[in-house]
Amino acid sequence: MSHNRFAGVSRRALVKAAGVAGLAGLAGCFDADGGRSLENGSDGVTLDQREIHPEWVHAVSAEASELSPYRATDYASGLRTTLLLDGAYTLDEDDEFYSFWVESYENRGEESYAFTLRDNLEWGNDYGQQTADDWVWFYNHVVTPEENWVGHPTRDDWSNVVSVERESELTFVVDLEKPDPLFVRRPTMWGTQILPSELTKPYYERWVDGDGDAGHELNTADEVLEFQYAGNLGPYTFDRREIEDRFVVQRNDDYYRRGTEPDADDWEDAPYFERYVMRILPEQSTRLAELRTGGITYTELPADEAHALENESAVETVTTPTPFLRLAAYNQRENGWEPFRNQSVRQAFSMAVEKTSIVENIFDGNADVAHTFQPTYSEFYDDSHVREFGEGESYDPEAARSILERELPSAYGYDGDVLLDAEGSQVALTLVYQTGERVYRDSGRYIAAAIEDLGVAVEQRAVPGDVLLERYAYQESDSGIPTLNAGSRDRYTSDVEWDIMWSLSLNTFPRSPENIGAFFTEAGTANFMGYVPAGDLEGLLEEAATAPDIERRRERFGEVFGLLSEEQPANFMIFDNTIHGYHRNVVLTEPVSPSWGYKRHTYWASEDPHG
Amino acid sequence: MAWFVGRRLVWALFATFLVVTLTFALLAASPNPETSQAAWQAAQDGSDPEEARALVDQQHGAGDSLTTQYVSYMVSMFSLDWGQSTTYNEDVTSVIANAWVYSAITVIPATIIAVVVGFGIGLYSATHQYTTADYAATLVAFFGVSIPNFWFAIVLMLVFGELLGLTPISYDSEVPFWSLEHLSYLVLPITVLATAAVASEMRYARAEALEYVSATWTKTARAKGLSETAVTIRHVFRPATVPLVTILVADLVGIIFATAYVVEVIFGIPGLGYVSYQALVRMDTPLVLATTLIPVFVTIVANLCQDLAYTVLDPRIDYEGRSP
């Protein structure tokens, strides 16, 4: 069953519209535009059925490597820590502020934001109430010290912040260096989890006294790894962690969010499971078999298996868009094919690969065609600027061959169907992609075949992800350190030659696209492909970043993404979707959006999923 | 004999030292994938990739010089203070202590089944060569040796676990340890482990036993009127056990650290094979060295025990002459 039953948000809408005091048999499904429509569900789910069931079992593929909130920035670790710590706030389906620890915020001009904490936040282990002082201390002693003593990997998120000051017991003010109307959407504050200042202080003092291990000892202290400090700040309390087996947490009886706004009804008695068990099942077949037979409540599904599961009566699937773009990068550095420095040649290659076919036939429809470095749902995407390649009429191998004939240096030429280089040999390119997922391999083969249709020989290389980065993307800087952009494309190259790199997934940052400069400006820290923009991309990005109002910002970013689609530094292939598989009894409480899961602790079950 | 044993124990320590040193060298020479990933993520975010690399290196204790790291690890290994796993932030001994039980509950039964059933069928095949039973046993053996473990495990899981619902799909560590229910969780993993091992032991047992089925002493024994069972056990099986014991140790270590890994991944068993593999993938040096040291030492000591067992199994073997 691919449709889903929705309670929370839909109920809010329904109550407002019809004055109904409960959710009587609602079911939701998605219309063709990706929106959600409501229908009277045949499942007959009512709020009366909402009760607390014994357990939610979530199957994951990997163990977490970090459990300290100062270190846990990877996906696997974040899955665990967010069970015990909600964090400051999150963003809802409209990318708007959604309250957790921070009850509200106030924009005091474009360079100052005041955040006010709820007054019922309690740390565990007698650390008292969470107050503004905890956040001020965090900023001054974890974020700003010159040496990253605690190993906090996302300190740079705070680079535009000049101070965090206490205004009252529960309110602190964040002052910015440059105006930023989108500050609340940045990962600086949203989702940020901190430790009690009183817990951290002794370690900080030891570090100040010269103990270099103090940060590591803080991150690995039992008190931190066992979340003894977490108090009522998350939906669950820590029970135990069995290495490479499971992470078990128990329902938090004192959870601060229970029955509070927004969506007080949804949070009335949340979470709705006595315990949450995260089981590590490394093998995908095992996770899917457990889901089909009701052994687990939830797992993420691979793109090419999702359709098969939609027909399973035991499973509900939800497909959500992501900001992650998979591209086929053209190597414009010295060790790549030189004609890729010509924009028209890149365009020709991009128009020879039909993206729709990859999405439909390889990703089984569970991805979206991309045309620029921004998803269509982004408010900064303006299709009037975007030029398409490789979809519909813009997929045109014949036109691509004509462009190559016209644009390649005169020494190149076609002999029948074969493209010859200056030596009279067939042009041969290397296409490299990562191993691990069948869809990478199949798409790689498809791309190779499409390019071969242009008369070019293609050598395919499939290598592990870390090898792809280390040997093909990184270059050695003058100081000997591997870096993604060591400098001039005429001088710095990767260890191994390559021409096209498929399968890397990049974040397009739709909430705050300034970061894309890392990939597409000449000196960008992640510009591994050696792209030098022909247009004034840097100027446009600067204008967009410093635009005083959101409209101007949208216009400028619209132009940026139009320019990128025109210049095709890489073939922007597809946007990944995430496919979620739930036990059929699970009642979901939010509409499909890129923010999917922000209310996951209000999901409930109409019947015990594992009873 | 004491001199022989003492000398072999010293050699065991030296060989272990060599293997652990080699493992350390290989780890030191390999790039850490977590470092690449961290730097990639930082570069994407517009952060400093070099700082990201340094943080990962620091976490993995790679900030010190190689010599310092090597000396530190070696002292830790041989003083049995194996330090903390950089992946799990727990004592290495604790990680291993938790994991080995899960390997043992599948590997030990599988090994016992492999020895009893494998040797039994092998002997029967040898003494009933070219009969229908022998051909059937050979067929089973070739099936067991040829079938890929990971494929066999998935098929068993889907057929018996999902389709027929006769067994659980994946392992559940919360089931009471001493219970029939627990046994139901172990049936499929043990079956997969034992299938390959039974087949392997059976082929060896058959081949070894065949050498002695027509030996002069077995003919003599039969002429003296001994029953066929007595001939098989005392005059065929006993001399055949010497080479069989030789392969048994290698098979056992192979099952724990190779085959068991596959079974543990597919059935979600948090055993030593899987933990060792994860330690390697994540470049968790303390855990890699410890999980290397254990099988190396076990293998060497088991080989010593096996050599001593020869003297019991075959009285003609004697190490006394090797004393100085």
Side-chain angles (χ1 to χ4, degrees), chain A residues 63 65-66 71 148 156 220 240-241 244-246 275 279 286 290 292-293 470 474 506-507 519 525, chain B residues 36 39-40 43-44 47-48 51 59 87-89 162 169-174 266 274 278 282:
Chain A
E63 178 62 277
S65 54
E66 299 288 348
R71 295 280 303 153
N148 192 354
D156 286 345
T220 56
R240 68 186 197 281
R241 173 206 202 189
E244 297 295 357
D245 181 25
R246 64 190 58 214
R275 66 175 202 158
R279 291 191 58 195
T286 315
E290 287 284 17
R292 284 190 295 260
T293 55
E470 288 288 344
Y474 284 107
L506 310 183
N507 192 345
F519 299 108
T525 52
Chain B
S36 311
W40 168 252
Q44 276 203 61
S47 303
D48 182 359
E51 181 176 316
Q59 186 198 354
T87 305
Y88 307 121
N89 292 317
E162 184 174 355
I169 289 168
S170 60
Y171 182 73
D172 186 348
S173 60
E174 292 188 337
I266 290 169
Y274 183 62
Q278 284 300 316
R282 296 173 186 230

Side-chain angles (χ1 to χ4, degrees), chain A residues 484-497:
Chain A
L484 286 165
N485 186 5
S488 163
R489 65 182 182 180
D490 294 324
R491 182 174 164 200
Y492 297 95
T493 59
S494 56
D495 279 356
V496 184
E497 291 184 4

